[in-house]
Amino acid sequence: MANVTLYSKDNCVKCTQTKRLFDRYGIEYQEVNLLKHPDLIDTFKKKGFLEAPVVIAPHTSWCGFRMDEIKALYRVLQNTQQQLSVRSITKDVKSSSKELAKNSVSWGETER
C-alpha cells in the first residue's frame, strides 16, 4: 500500500537519489512521471514546488532531494506501522481473552 507519491522527471539526479533512499529505507511509493502529466507541473509551481521531485505523503510534502525529509518520513511510517502492529496484537489478545473466558470454568465451580 503506497501512500507516498513521487512525481519525477526523466534524467533527474535528485529524483534518482530520492528513489534510491526510498528503496533503501523500504518506503513504498507510487511514481508519476511529470513529463507524461505536464498539467501537474503548473499545478505544483502554483503551490510553490519549483523543482523535481515532488513528494506527497500523508503527513508531509516537499520538492527536491531532501534527505532530512526522507528520514523523517521513514520514522513516521515506522511509528505508524508499529502502532498498527500494536493495535492488531491488542485486538488478538482481547479476542483470545474473551474466548478463554467463555470456554473456561469459573474459580470455585467444578466441571461435570
Side-chain angles (χ1 to χ4, degrees), residues 94-107:
K94 285 180 181 178
S95 176
S96 296
S97 295
K98 286 179 184 177
E99 191 66 28
L100 282 171
K102 185 171 75 174
N103 294 328
S104 66
V105 177
S106 299
W107 294 101

Side-chain angles (χ1 to χ4, degrees), residues 5-104:
T5 305
L6 180 125
Y7 296 89
S8 64
K9 292 170 57 176
D10 297 336
N11 302 314
C12 168
V13 174
K14 293 178 182 182
C15 300
T16 302
Q17 289 174 318
T18 299
K19 288 187 279 187
R20 282 184 184 157
L21 271 185
F22 278 5
D23 292 341
R24 182 181 299 160
Y25 283 108
I27 297 172
E28 294 181 18
Y29 62 95
Q30 174 185 356
E31 184 176 5
V32 176
N33 189 319
L34 287 169
L35 299 178
K36 294 180 182 176
H37 302 278
D39 54 310
L40 290 175
I41 295 172
D42 291 331
T43 302
F44 286 137
K45 283 183 179 179
K46 288 176 186 173
K47 292 184 179 188
F49 298 113
L50 303 178
E51 65 178 325
V54 175
V55 176
I56 306 295
H59 307 290
T60 189
S61 57
W62 71 86
C63 66
F65 177 71
R66 297 284 309 272
M67 184 178 287
D68 59 327
E69 290 286 356
I70 295 169
K71 288 180 179 181
L73 175 61
Y74 171 74
R75 287 190 298 270
V76 166
L77 294 175
Q78 285 297 105
N79 189 32
T80 302
Q81 186 62 38
Q82 288 172 352
Q83 288 175 357
L84 291 174
S85 295
V86 167
R87 285 185 195 141
S88 176
I89 291 168
T90 302
K91 183 179 175 183
D92 290 345
V93 167
K94 285 180 181 178
S95 176
S96 296
S97 295
K98 286 179 184 177
E99 191 66 28
L100 282 171
K102 185 171 75 174
N103 294 328
S104 66

